[in-house]
Amino acid sequence: MGIVAGLDSAPDFTRIVVCDTDTGAVLRQGYAPHPIDGAEGGGRPSDVDPQAWLLSLGEAAGGGLLEGVQAIGVSAQQNGLVPLDPQGNTVRPAMVGGDKRAQVAAADLIDALGGREAWAQAVGSVPGAAQPVTKLRWLSKTEPEAARRTSMLLQAHDWLVWQLLGRPVRRTTDRGGASATGYWSAATGAYRQDLVELALGHQAGLPDVLGPYEAAGTTPEGLLISAGTGETMAAAFGLGIGLGDAVVSLGASGSVMAVHPEALADSSGMITSLADATGMHLPVVTTLNAVRALRGTAELLGVSDLEGLSELAMKSTPGSHGLVLLPYLEGERTPNLPHTAGTLAGLRRESMKPEHLARAAFEGMLCGLADALDVLRGRGVDVRRIFLLGQAAELPAVQAVAPALFGAQVVVPQPADYAALGAARQAAWALGVSRGTLDPRTPPMWQGPVAQVLEPGDELAVGQAVRQQYVSVREQTHPGAFRA
């Protein structure tokens, strides 16, 4: 069939991969940082001129990178709200990231609809500071003039697709991106304009939601542009996960997502019910504490890096000589304990050694993520294989502990830009369907990622005993807080 490209417009950079349509083999790639000034205090800015994304895209595509490409897919950071006026111009910079400014607005919205359960039933998620619906509420309360001028709402990948197509009258999105807005329901496949009005103060135009294999359009040069999607959905598609698979992502905070055939409404708000890039669903559970618990422990022990902490932990034994760390250092979302602190239990003379605390940090972090997995399993989500992502996934202590604690096969893929690969795979699907060479129900079968495969094996019983030790301490310290 030829070659396709996938571009991932992440918070800090654009990466482009050019792939063979039949196998997914990467033929060439480009990269460019976004030309964005840092926020006050050196953090990532919450307001970004979308033109920076286009400039970065153009630089990444330089040197003839896209020569011969027949279709492009776009992945972009989720939760980036781009408000447009009636002429299609931005009324203010795009609002991106977690955006802590919007925390009060999230609480306002939850109360305005009647509580967390009302939101979970309406759109499959409870508003948080990151979601576009919450940013709309903040906009209406803080910048009312900009809110009044807002007549169309796009996310980052919607805006980029629209720009690549030459800003046509029709604006589009996909199920994955729409499901992250807080005003589209993955369960019903429909927008909730009443929630847009509740947040913004008036109704606004929303992009058409395309199916997974549909094209957003074709450029005047004949280049097909697929629907595009959010980074989470694109990465899942790039990894090739399907029913029975879950992805555990180890960042400062953690997340667990899995493929499921139906949307899950969770009145507790622990599950965010997203749609994926294939027509299925992608329930997600997040924890506030993952690698930050490891870094905190390393600092406490005077260890310079996570590799050193891992080496120290491997000198201990499963169960850390009875030490248990509940790693709720920033409060916690799963279970819902926003104002709590971490707990170190099981202190005895023989357990008060650096190697035991180091191992307790790894076991505590992974047990916290196992709790998140149990939330999904408790709702009937099948989890037989777990993809472990993030830099910490390469640490020997993580790989030694995770399979037995999770009770499943663990796959550690080699680092790659799976979001860009997923965008390219989506482009290949749309191209194949448009030419009649691919079934709309079946995406192209690309090569899976190069990965290590780790089995629980004989350590399963030991791992489950460690997990039970953790659960006992959690229940004693926070009785009834966690119900999978």
Side-chain angles (χ1 to χ4, degrees):
M1 281 169 58
I3 57 175
V4 293
L7 71 88
D8 175 31
S9 184
D12 298 317
F13 61 83
T14 298
R15 190 177 303 279
I16 301 175
V17 295
V18 177
C19 300
D20 180 272
T21 54
D22 295 323
T23 66
V26 176
L27 306 176
R28 49 187 187 263
Q29 48 191 315
Y31 168 89
H34 293 328
I36 298 172
D37 294 331
E40 289 184 24
R44 182 176 292 150
S46 297
D47 292 338
V48 174
D49 182 351
Q51 293 296 327
W53 305 334
L54 280 183
L55 292 170
S56 174
L57 193 165
E59 186 179 343
L65 184 77
L66 299 180
E67 188 174 336
V69 165
Q70 296 155 308
I72 293 179
V74 177
S75 156
Q77 57 182 307
Q78 285 157 237
N79 301 317
L81 177 67
V82 187
L84 302 179
D85 67 14
Q87 289 73 46
N89 301 313
T90 52
V91 302
R92 69 176 317 283
M95 301 172 69
V96 298
D99 206 343
K100 292 183 178 180
R101 297 175 300 185
Q103 287 175 336
V104 173
D108 286 348
L109 276 179
I110 292 169
D111 290 344
L113 195 64
R116 300 170 69 86
E117 186 168 357
W119 278 97
Q121 293 295 331
V123 289
S125 63
V126 178
Q131 283 179 297
V133 71
T134 305
K135 290 167 178 169
L136 286 179
R137 181 73 160 197
W138 180 90
L139 189 65
S140 70
K141 297 294 184 184
T142 311
E143 299 179 5
E145 180 56 34
R148 279 192 290 272
R149 291 169 50 218
T150 298
S151 67
M152 168 62 68
L153 305 175
L154 298 182
Q155 291 190 86
H157 85 264
D158 310 337
W159 188 85
L160 283 166
V161 165
W162 184 56
Q163 296 293 324
L164 289 173
L165 290 172
R167 296 165 58 106
V169 172
R170 186 192 190 205
R171 280 86 155 191
T172 61
T173 189
D174 84 305
R175 297 172 64 253
S179 68
T181 60
Y183 43 79
W184 185 87
S185 168
T188 64
Y191 281 115
R192 290 286 302 263
Q193 270 281 8
D194 59 316
L195 299 183
V196 174
E197 188 167 355
L198 180 69
L200 185 61
H202 61 85
Q203 295 199 357
L206 300 168
D208 294 344
V209 181
L210 300 177
Y213 59 85
E214 293 185 272
T218 304
T219 68
E221 298 77 28
L223 187 64
L224 183 141
I225 309 295
S226 64
T229 194
E231 272 191 318
T232 297
M233 303 79 187
F237 197 40
L239 281 166
I241 68 169
L243 289 172
D245 291 334
V247 176
V248 173
S249 182
L250 301 176
S253 55
S255 68
V256 176
M257 63 180 178
V259 178
H260 196 57
E262 59 188 29
L264 295 178
D266 174 47
S267 60
S268 73
M270 284 194 289
I271 298 175
T272 298
S273 191
L274 301 177
D276 79 348
T278 72
M280 302 286 276
H281 295 269
L282 204 62
V284 180
V285 180
T286 59
T287 68
L288 296 182
N289 300 278
V291 175
R292 62 166 40 103
L294 301 184
R295 295 199 184 282
T297 305
E299 290 171 10
L300 179 66
L301 294 174
V303 178
S304 61
D305 54 30
L306 295 185
E307 288 74 17
L309 189 71
S310 173
E311 186 177 341
L312 188 60
M314 294 299 285
K315 295 177 181 177
S316 181
T317 54
S320 309
H321 273 244
L323 275 191
V324 174
L325 177 65
L326 302 183
Y328 305 155
L329 307 185
E330 298 284 329
E332 189 46 81
R333 179 173 173 179
T334 306
N336 185 27
L337 298 166
H339 306 299
T340 195
T343 301
L344 183 62
L347 284 169
R348 292 185 174 87
R349 178 66 187 87
E350 61 271 18
S351 66
M352 296 177 71
K353 294 182 178 179
E355 60 266 31
H356 302 323
L357 178 54
R359 187 171 183 108
F362 283 96
E363 290 178 345
M365 175 188 74
L366 292 169
C367 281
L369 289 160
D371 279 352
L373 276 166
D374 280 353
V375 172
L376 296 179
R377 285 169 164 153
R379 293 298 307 276
V381 178
D382 184 24
V383 178
R384 296 188 303 272
R385 182 173 64 159
I386 295 169
F387 287 78
L388 200 56
L389 301 185
Q391 190 174 357
E394 303 285 334
L395 296 173
V398 169
Q399 296 188 7
V401 172
L405 274 186
F406 293 158
Q409 182 187 82
V410 170
V411 179
V412 184
Q414 284 189 356
D417 197 321
Y418 291 106
L421 288 168
R425 190 178 177 206
Q426 186 194 67
W429 195 5
L431 182 65
V433 169
S434 74
R435 293 178 171 179
T437 56
L438 283 179
D439 189 325
R441 296 164 298 180
T442 308
M445 301 302 293
W446 280 9
Q447 299 165 348
V450 177
Q452 288 178 271
V453 179
L454 310 169
E455 300 284 356
D458 296 337
E459 297 296 314
L460 180 59
V462 174
Q464 294 308 295
V466 171
R467 180 81 203 291
Q468 188 54 51
Q469 177 178 269
Y470 176 92
V471 169
S472 296
V473 171
R474 189 196 66 219
E475 282 300 306
Q476 289 167 11
T477 311
H478 306 287
F482 177 82
R483 294 183 178 89

